[in-house]
Amino acid sequence: MEKAIQFKVRKDLDPRQQLTVIKLKGSLIAKGYTEIIHISDQDDEFHINSFETDAEKRNDVQQYIAAFISSENLSDTVTIR
């Protein structure tokens, strides 16, 4: 069974933050966690990014995203939901 992973991304990003968020999304696809990431508006400040992944990969994905956020100093920009 597949499970949805969601993360919230601030809309007003500087160019470095934009590039880093794109890098995160690309790496999620390249690592085989998903094939597509859906983006929707939460409100005027945030987008919600979501994707499906296999249930057995869910913890790995969440740990990967958390580590990426930490290593790239994106804690004010990206939040796992």
Side-chain angles (χ1 to χ4, degrees):
M1 178 178 218
E2 298 199 347
K3 297 288 185 180
I5 301 286
Q6 293 185 338
F7 55 98
K8 182 170 70 169
V9 179
R10 186 170 296 284
K11 288 183 177 180
D12 61 336
L13 304 177
D14 65 37
R16 184 202 68 81
Q17 291 169 322
Q18 288 177 356
L19 184 61
T20 308
V21 170
I22 291 168
K23 182 178 165 185
L24 168 61
K25 293 177 188 181
S27 66
L28 291 169
I29 293 168
K31 291 183 175 294
Y33 291 132
T34 188
E35 293 180 6
I36 189 167
I37 298 174
H38 303 279
I39 303 169
S40 60
D41 282 334
Q42 174 181 312
D43 53 31
D44 290 340
E45 292 185 50
F46 294 97
H47 291 292
I48 299 297
N49 291 251
S50 61
F51 61 93
E52 296 287 322
T53 193
D54 295 330
E56 59 270 4
K57 293 181 181 178
R58 185 175 175 82
N59 288 335
D60 290 342
V61 173
Q62 289 178 327
Q63 289 175 2
Y64 177 79
I65 294 170
F68 190 96
I69 290 169
S70 177
S71 70
E72 297 292 335
N73 297 320
L74 292 176
S75 59
D76 293 339
T77 306
V78 179
T79 308
I80 300 174
R81 293 184 53 152

